[in-house]
Amino acid sequence: MWTDSESDVDYLNYSEVSEMIGDMLSDDSMLPISLGVYGTWGVGKSSILRLVEQQLATDKRNLIISFDAWLFQDFDEAKSALMTVIAKSLYEASPETLKERAAGFYRRINKLKVLGLAADVGALLAGVPTLGLFTKAAGSAEDMWKGTSDEEDVEAVRDATKAAQERGSGLLRPQEKRNAPEEIAAFREEFGALLSSMGRRLVVFVDNLDRCLPTNAIATLEAMRLFLFLPNTAFVVAADEEMIRLAVSKHFSEPGDRHVTDYLDKLIQIPIRVPKLGLQEVRAYLAMLAIARAGSEKANDVRDFLISKLRKSWSDEPPFEVKDIQVMLDLPPDDELLLTLEAMDRLAALLAHSVRINGNPRIVKRMLNVIRMRSAVAKRRGMALSEAFIAKLALFERCMGEEAIRDFSSLVNSAPDGKPALLTELETIENESLEARLPKTWQKHIDFVSDWLKLEPLLGGVDLRPAVYLSRETLPLRTLSAHLSPLARKAVGTLLKTVSMNSKASKDAIDQIPSEEMADVMDEIIVAMNRNPDWSRIRSDFRGAALLAKANPAGYEKLVRFLAGIPKKPAWMTAMMKDEDEPGAKRKA
C-alpha cells in the first residue's frame, strides 16, 4: 500500500521546480518575497513544499515555519493562529540574549488573541480606522502592550475598536478614516528588529489554504499581510488558485474578476504553477512507487536514472524502458516486481490521458491502493484473477459514468459463466464500427473505451464475476440498483444532482420513493459519494442525501454512520445536517 501524504522524495521531477523556488528564497536580493505554488487537488503542491524545505534546511540561517491552514481552522481564530505560530517559532529560535525581546513580541500577539482583538488586525490593515485615532484609548493600548493594563483599559480599547468598526462600515464620515495605527506600525517594527537581531531569514510555508472555508482562507491571507514585505521574510503559499479566487470573490461579495486578480497579485508576487504530468512522468511515477514498495536497495539509483531521463524528455533521447530497470535491478523474467512494473507500464497511458485521472499523482496512488486491496481479497478467496485484470476493471470504474458501470455489471451477471460475448466481439471490432455496438451508456466515453478494450489483458472469454464481486464497495454484486423499482432508480439520479436544499425536483423524487426502498436509495447515494473524497466544498450528492435523511429515519441513520467515517467534517456539512424537525418527521406524518 502507498500512503496518501506528501513525499520528501522526488518521483516526478518536481525537484526542478523546488530548486528554482529554493534559489529565489535563498537570494537575499529577492527578499522580501511572496510566492504562490498553484495546482489542483492532489497534483503534488505539498510535496514541492517539502522538497523546498529540505533544500533550505541546509542553511542554518533559514528559520523555516510550516503552517497548515486547514489544521488550525476549527481550533483557533484564523488570523491569530498564524500570528501565534510565527511568534512562538521566533521565541523558540531566539538566542538567550534575545529571549526577553522575543517573549515581549509573543506576549503582544497573545494579548491580541486573549482580548479577542486579533480579528481586528485584518480590518486595521485593510484601512479601517484604528485604536490610535481615539485619545481615550491611546493610553490604555500602551498599558496593554506593556502588560500593566486593568479592566478599565480593556473596556476603553474595546469601545474604541467598536467605534472604529462603525466608522469603517460607513456609520461615520469616510473622510475621517486615517492610516494604519501606531500599534500596528510598532508591531511590524518590533518584528523586523527582532528578526534582524537574530540574523535569520524567515521562510513561512502556508499549505492547504484551499481546503479552508472561504472566511478562514481570507483571514489567513489577511494575517499574512501583517508580516509581508518586511526585511528577510518570505512566504510560500500552496493552494488551488481557483479555490482561492472563489474564496476572495465570496468574501468580498462578488467584486469582479479584475478586483479578485488585483487582490491576489498584491499578496502573491510570483505565481508558480505545478507542471502537468505527461506520459513519461506517469510511467516513471508508477515505476518508482512499485520499486519503493518492494524495498529495493537500488531504489535511489533507479530514481536518479528516471529523473535524468525525464529532464531530457524534450530532446531526441529515447524514453526509458522497463527492461532498463530490469537490468539495473537484475530481475529475472518471472520476478514479481518485474511483472508489476510491466502491468503498471501498460496502464500509464490511460492514467496520463483519461479525463477523470489526468495524471493526478494522488488519484493514481489511490487507484493503486484499490488494486492492491482487491488483489489481497482475491488471494484470500482463491480467485484466479491476476492484478492486471483487477487493475483494468478498476480503471474502468474510475473513468466511466455510474450508469456505464451498472451496465457493465449487468452484462457480466447476465452472461453464462460470467463471460459476456459482447466483450469478445468489441475487442475485435475496428474503431470505425465500435460506437454502434457499444452499450448506449458507454458511447459518450468512446475515446476511453476504445483504448481500454485494447489494453492487456483482454477480457473476452474470462469469467468476470470475481471482478464484480471485488468491486462491491463500488457496485454490490448483481449491480447496485438492479433490485430497485424504476421510481427508486430515477430518484437516485435526481438526488445526486440536487442543486439546493429547497429543490422541488428532489423533494418530489423523495415523495415518489416507495417507503420500503428509502434505505436502499440512501445506500446507493452513499456508494456514489464514496467515489469522490473531496469534501472541501458543498456537493450536490450530499444535498440529496441530507434531504433523504430528513425524510426517513433509516436513511438518516445510514448517513450518520457514513459521516462517522469522514475524519474531518467541514462546517457546511455539519450545518446541512442540522434540522429543527426530527429526521423522518415528514414521512411519519
Side-chain angles (χ1 to χ4, degrees), residues 211-466:
R211 291 189 178 189
C212 296
L213 297 174
T215 300
N216 290 293
I218 298 301
T220 302
L221 290 174
E222 290 296 311
M224 278 176 50
R225 294 174 60 189
L226 186 61
F227 298 94
L228 282 180
F229 313 127
L230 288 172
N232 300 322
T233 60
F235 278 79
V236 184
V237 179
D240 181 337
E241 184 179 9
E242 289 306 311
M243 288 291 292
I244 300 304
R245 291 180 67 89
L246 181 64
V248 173
S249 181
K250 183 173 182 179
H251 182 78
F252 292 106
S253 302
E254 307 296 334
D257 288 343
R258 183 176 66 82
H259 291 95
V260 172
T261 299
D262 288 347
Y263 179 87
L264 289 178
D265 286 348
K266 289 174 182 177
L267 283 172
I268 305 297
Q269 294 172 304
I270 302 177
I272 299 171
R273 290 170 177 80
V274 179
K276 183 181 180 300
L277 300 188
L279 173 58
Q280 299 309 319
E281 284 81 8
V282 173
R283 292 181 65 228
Y285 184 55
L286 292 171
M288 280 310 307
L289 288 176
I291 293 167
R293 184 172 58 82
S296 172
E297 296 179 355
K298 296 183 179 180
N300 285 334
D301 294 336
V302 176
R303 187 183 71 86
D304 291 342
F305 165 73
L306 294 176
I307 293 294
S308 68
K309 282 287 189 180
L310 293 178
R311 292 188 174 186
K312 296 176 182 177
S313 59
W314 58 270
S315 68
D316 293 331
E317 182 170 319
F320 75 90
E321 300 291 343
V322 173
K323 64 181 179 182
D324 298 328
I325 301 175
Q326 179 185 6
V327 172
M328 292 185 70
L329 299 180
D330 193 22
L331 301 177
D334 59 347
D335 187 87
E336 183 177 351
L337 174 57
L338 178 60
L339 297 176
T340 299
L341 288 170
E342 290 173 343
M344 286 187 168
D345 204 51
R346 288 193 293 269
L347 289 173
L350 289 177
L351 293 174
H353 303 311
S354 298
V355 174
R356 297 198 180 187
I357 301 175
N358 212 22
N360 184 294
R362 182 167 290 164
I363 296 176
V364 168
K365 193 183 292 185
R366 289 187 175 189
M367 276 203 63
L368 295 179
N369 282 335
V370 168
I371 295 167
R372 178 61 50 178
M373 287 188 292
R374 292 184 182 180
S375 296
V377 173
K379 289 180 180 178
R380 286 197 297 269
R381 298 288 185 273
M383 297 175 176
L385 203 63
S386 72
E387 198 167 88
F389 278 101
I390 294 170
K392 185 168 180 176
L393 269 296
L395 186 62
F396 183 91
E397 291 172 25
R398 177 74 200 189
C399 297
M400 299 290 281
E402 188 171 337
E403 292 180 349
I405 300 170
R406 286 199 195 100
D407 283 351
F408 178 86
S409 186
S410 297
L411 195 66
V412 173
N413 288 322
S414 61
D417 300 322
K419 302 175 182 179
L422 179 61
L423 280 179
T424 303
E425 178 186 349
L426 294 176
E427 288 172 345
T428 60
I429 290 178
E430 296 295 329
N431 283 354
E432 294 77 13
S433 309
L434 181 62
E435 185 171 0
R437 294 292 299 130
L438 290 177
K440 186 176 180 180
T441 55
W442 296 19
Q443 291 175 2
K444 59 183 176 181
H445 306 283
I446 180 66
D447 291 338
F448 168 80
V449 173
S450 61
D451 291 334
W452 179 81
L453 287 168
K454 298 183 182 73
L455 181 68
E456 293 288 343
L458 298 180
L459 303 180
V462 177
D463 183 356
L464 296 176
R465 287 175 297 180

Side-chain angles (χ1 to χ4, degrees), residues 10-295:
D10 182 21
Y11 292 164
L12 292 163
N13 194 28
Y14 281 167
S15 54
E16 284 190 325
V17 177
S18 66
E19 288 167 7
M20 176 180 64
I21 296 173
D23 290 344
M24 284 191 284
L25 299 178
S26 300
D27 185 350
D28 288 336
S29 67
M30 293 287 291
L31 302 181
I33 191 173
S34 60
L35 298 95
V37 179
Y38 293 148
T40 56
W41 174 87
V43 299
K45 300 183 296 294
S46 297
S47 293
I48 288 178
L49 295 195
R50 291 283 296 272
L51 293 171
V52 176
E53 185 174 341
Q54 279 187 330
Q55 180 180 344
L56 296 181
T58 59
D59 184 348
K60 298 301 181 183
R61 187 183 165 205
N62 292 320
L63 174 55
I64 301 170
I65 299 175
S66 296
F67 181 79
D68 188 328
W70 192 40
L71 180 65
F72 283 91
Q73 81 163 352
D74 287 341
F75 296 96
D76 209 343
E77 198 280 323
K79 290 189 180 74
S80 64
L82 179 59
M83 295 162 62
T84 301
V85 169
I86 291 176
K88 185 173 185 292
S89 298
L90 284 172
Y91 176 79
E92 292 174 347
S94 63
E96 288 300 322
T97 55
L98 294 174
K99 281 293 185 187
E100 183 54 38
R101 184 185 295 186
F105 180 68
Y106 194 179
R107 286 195 296 270
R108 180 179 295 241
I109 291 181
N110 249 356
K111 290 166 189 170
L112 287 173
K113 180 179 177 182
V114 171
L115 295 174
L117 300 177
D120 299 325
V121 172
L124 299 176
L125 289 172
V128 175
T130 62
L131 310 179
L133 294 178
F134 301 93
T135 304
K136 179 181 177 181
S140 298
E142 184 176 357
D143 290 342
M144 286 162 54
W145 306 141
K146 291 179 179 178
T148 60
S149 61
D150 55 22
E151 291 185 6
E152 185 177 348
D153 290 324
V154 173
E155 191 62 33
V157 170
R158 289 193 182 280
D159 289 344
T161 302
K162 182 178 180 181
Q165 291 172 335
E166 291 174 348
R167 180 176 296 185
S169 61
L171 297 180
L172 297 178
R173 292 192 301 275
Q175 58 264 35
E176 294 184 10
K177 295 183 181 181
R178 300 183 184 176
N179 292 329
E182 293 179 1
E183 285 79 8
I184 296 301
F187 181 97
R188 287 169 62 86
E189 182 178 352
E190 185 175 339
F191 169 74
L194 176 60
L195 196 59
S196 177
S197 299
M198 292 173 64
R200 304 293 294 273
R201 181 191 294 125
L202 180 71
V203 182
V204 182
F205 295 104
V206 180
D207 199 6
N208 287 327
L209 194 61
D210 48 5
R211 291 189 178 189
C212 296
L213 297 174
T215 300
N216 290 293
I218 298 301
T220 302
L221 290 174
E222 290 296 311
M224 278 176 50
R225 294 174 60 189
L226 186 61
F227 298 94
L228 282 180
F229 313 127
L230 288 172
N232 300 322
T233 60
F235 278 79
V236 184
V237 179
D240 181 337
E241 184 179 9
E242 289 306 311
M243 288 291 292
I244 300 304
R245 291 180 67 89
L246 181 64
V248 173
S249 181
K250 183 173 182 179
H251 182 78
F252 292 106
S253 302
E254 307 296 334
D257 288 343
R258 183 176 66 82
H259 291 95
V260 172
T261 299
D262 288 347
Y263 179 87
L264 289 178
D265 286 348
K266 289 174 182 177
L267 283 172
I268 305 297
Q269 294 172 304
I270 302 177
I272 299 171
R273 290 170 177 80
V274 179
K276 183 181 180 300
L277 300 188
L279 173 58
Q280 299 309 319
E281 284 81 8
V282 173
R283 292 181 65 228
Y285 184 55
L286 292 171
M288 280 310 307
L289 288 176
I291 293 167
R293 184 172 58 82

